[in-house]
């Protein structure tokens, strides 16, 4: 395989293509000690990725009974092959918050996917006729239950001369967590900070609340750690981490003012606000927007609206189950 690179002594990055997905590929990482291996994330549940997984495991001499798989968060491009690793006897580590949600992915009519449908209705997406069956998270999800060992923020995972602390990087998902080696200023950050693309921040329901606010807090947390070696899950590796954090914070500041502008122009539903925002995608307009991406775009606009609401800038009213946001006029 020519897509394996040693990015740090005993840390290998394996690029796994995600065909037809705007993310393009996922960086799976393998940390080696003399006889043990720690793998980080898996790629989608597809035959092609399964074959590539067998290839890199072979090439990197990964022995299942002496290996661990750490899953940064629940998304199917990170967890799709969890059942394969579980059956091989690889011990799986995952933060509880996302593991519990991931266990709901199997059932089409279970809580997770019916919530996604409920949110789409609240966001005014009924007329887009989105089908769960076309959702990439649904199509490439793990199909069976799995065993895992809880690793939550504050817990340690040691391998070779690496001492990783699990750290809370929630925002992108309710329970995403990274692996941080304090001594080496090194962090595996999942989808928290990416080069070239901005991580998607979604509305995860009113119980989870202001996910964009949580994301900002965890961006600032990483800035305070002064990371020298950052290993993100998609696209190229970032050299100047703090500069990238500032870019991401500024990006969302611009997105928040775009959201306010849309409300000023009279948009009220999440769908209308989404249509008025600028999206870095080749589609000319909302009708041409790939259906599978409409969920992510609307979820992201919704996260911005909910952040503005948490700041007291806007509020919503519910009409026939659909949310209508309005700016709060301060006297
Ligand atoms: Zn993700």
């Amino acid at each position: 395989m020519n897509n394996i690179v040693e990015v740090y002594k005993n840390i290998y990055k394996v690029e796994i293509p995600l065909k037809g997905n705007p993310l393009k590929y996922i960086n799976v990482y393998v940390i080696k000690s003399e006889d043990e291996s720690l793998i980080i994330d898996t790629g989608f549940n597809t035959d092609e990725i399964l074959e590539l997984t067998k290839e890199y495991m072979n090439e990197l001499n990964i022995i299942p009974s002496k290996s661990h798989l750490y899953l940064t968060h629940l998304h199917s491009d990170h967890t799709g092959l969890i059942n394969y690793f579980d059956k091989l006897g690889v011990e799986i580590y995952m933060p509880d918050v996302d593991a519990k949600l991931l266990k709901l992915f199997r059932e089409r009519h279970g809580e997770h996917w019916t919530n996604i449908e409920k949110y789409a209705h609240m966001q005014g997406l009924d007329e887009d006729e989105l089908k769960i069956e076309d959702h990439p998270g649904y199509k490439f999800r793990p199909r069976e239950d799995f065993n895992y060992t809880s690793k939550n923020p504050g817990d340690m995972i040691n391998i070779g001369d690496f001492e990783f602390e699990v750290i809370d990087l929630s925002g992108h998902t309710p329970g995403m967590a990274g692996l941080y080696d304090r001594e080496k200023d090194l962090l595996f950050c999942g989808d928290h900070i990416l080069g070239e693309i901005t991580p998607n921040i979604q509305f995860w329901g009113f119980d989870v609340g202001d996910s964009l606010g949580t994301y900002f807090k965890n961006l600032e947390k990483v800035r305070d750690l002064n990371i020298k070696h950052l290993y993100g899950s998609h696209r190229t590796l970032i050299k100047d981490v703090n500069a990238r954090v500032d870019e991401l914070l500024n990006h969302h500041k611009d997105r928040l003012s775009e959201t306010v502008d849309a409300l000023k122009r009279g948009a009220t539903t999440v769908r209308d606000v989404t249509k008025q925002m600028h999206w870095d995608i080749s589609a000319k307009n909302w009708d041409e927007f790939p259906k599978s991406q409409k969920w992510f775009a609307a979820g992201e606009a919704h996260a911005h609206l909910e952040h503005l609401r948490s700041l007291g800038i806007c509020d919503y009213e519910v009409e026939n189950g659909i949310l209508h946001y309005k700016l709060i006029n301060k006297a």
Side-chain angles (χ1 to χ4, degrees):
M1 267 178 115
N2 51 14
N3 51 356
I4 302 178
V5 186
E6 189 174 21
V7 289
Y8 189 98
K9 192 167 182 284
N10 295 323
I11 299 179
Y12 298 86
K13 174 169 80 79
V14 187
E15 251 181 54
I16 303 272
L18 302 171
K19 288 212 178 121
N21 191 290
L23 293 168
K24 293 191 177 161
Y25 55 88
I26 180 168
N27 300 318
V28 164
Y29 294 96
V30 179
I31 301 128
K32 300 279 298 175
S33 71
E34 220 157 282
D35 57 349
E36 282 187 314
S37 307
L38 173 68
I39 306 166
I40 301 180
D41 294 332
T42 76
F44 283 132
N45 182 14
T46 67
D47 291 343
E48 190 191 347
I49 294 179
L50 176 61
E51 282 316 305
L52 292 171
T53 301
K54 288 176 183 169
E55 272 178 47
Y56 82 69
M57 287 180 78
N58 194 22
E59 196 145 327
L60 292 173
N61 198 20
I62 296 170
I63 302 158
S65 60
K66 290 178 180 170
S67 300
H68 303 273
L69 171 68
Y70 176 77
L71 299 172
T72 56
H73 65 294
L74 56 81
H75 280 145
S76 299
D77 53 329
H78 296 256
T79 59
L81 291 176
I82 188 170
N83 298 134
Y84 171 72
F85 284 98
D86 192 16
K87 282 176 195 164
L88 276 183
V90 172
E91 185 177 18
I92 295 161
Y93 295 145
M94 200 175 171
D96 282 322
V97 173
D98 273 21
K100 284 184 181 149
L101 286 168
L102 181 61
K103 280 182 179 270
L104 303 171
F105 271 41
R106 277 174 295 146
E107 300 291 341
R108 168 65 186 84
H109 297 286
E111 198 181 315
H112 179 71
W113 301 110
T114 47
N115 275 341
I116 300 276
E117 288 174 312
K118 200 171 78 190
Y119 304 152
H121 174 65
M122 282 170 17
Q123 291 162 349
L125 292 174
D126 286 356
E127 57 191 293
D128 294 294
E129 297 178 337
L130 304 182
K131 287 194 200 75
I132 291 294
E133 286 70 17
D134 297 329
H135 193 295
Y138 179 81
K139 279 206 286 203
F140 305 122
R141 73 197 191 283
R143 302 299 163 100
E144 294 164 55
D145 197 15
F146 55 86
N147 301 296
Y148 79 101
T149 304
S150 303
K151 287 285 178 188
N152 291 311
D155 291 344
M156 300 297 296
I157 298 175
N158 297 330
I159 171 157
D161 58 348
F162 293 95
E163 289 181 14
F164 293 115
E165 180 186 337
V166 178
I167 65 163
D168 172 23
L169 298 178
S170 52
H172 176 68
T173 65
M176 190 166 77
L179 295 183
Y180 171 49
D181 189 312
R182 196 175 294 270
E183 186 97 338
K184 298 183 174 62
D185 295 314
L186 187 154
L187 174 67
F188 292 96
C189 70
D191 287 356
H192 189 51
I193 301 168
L194 302 173
E196 300 147 57
I197 49 173
T198 52
N200 175 256
I201 307 300
Q202 284 282 312
F203 172 72
W204 283 93
F206 290 108
D207 310 350
V208 174
D210 175 18
S211 48
L212 187 58
T214 305
Y215 180 62
F216 289 160
K217 192 187 76 201
N218 284 328
L219 278 179
E220 279 157 13
K221 177 162 85 189
V222 171
R223 187 167 55 191
D224 292 342
L225 296 177
N226 285 311
I227 299 297
K228 287 200 184 73
H229 309 280
L230 183 76
Y231 300 114
S233 295
H234 304 284
R235 306 294 178 102
T236 52
L237 301 184
I238 293 155
K239 295 209 173 70
D240 187 339
V241 178
N242 288 1
R244 184 62 181 150
V245 167
D246 288 336
E247 274 173 22
L248 290 168
L249 289 168
N250 284 328
H251 164 82
H252 287 289
K253 228 197 258 167
D254 291 348
R255 297 296 265 168
L256 287 165
S257 43
E258 251 190 284
T259 311
V260 169
D261 288 345
L263 293 174
K264 277 187 188 156
R265 285 195 296 264
T268 64
T269 66
V270 176
R271 183 178 190 268
D272 287 342
V273 170
T274 312
K275 283 171 73 170
Q276 292 200 19
M277 290 171 80
H278 165 262
W279 299 96
D280 199 5
I281 190 163
S282 55
K284 282 200 257 356
N285 53 45
W286 186 247
D287 291 332
E288 285 193 11
F289 224 85
K291 282 200 176 192
S292 61
Q293 294 303 316
K294 285 188 177 180
W295 275 292
F296 300 108
E300 179 142 344
H302 201 173
H304 284 77
L305 285 164
E306 277 301 298
H307 185 63
L308 293 171
R309 192 169 73 89
S310 79
L311 298 174
I313 293 170
C314 68
D315 204 353
Y316 67 77
E317 278 170 18
V318 187
E319 222 175 278
N320 299 325
I322 296 172
L323 307 177
H324 291 270
Y325 283 84
K326 238 196 272 158
L327 291 167
I328 295 172
N329 289 318
K330 294 201 179 102

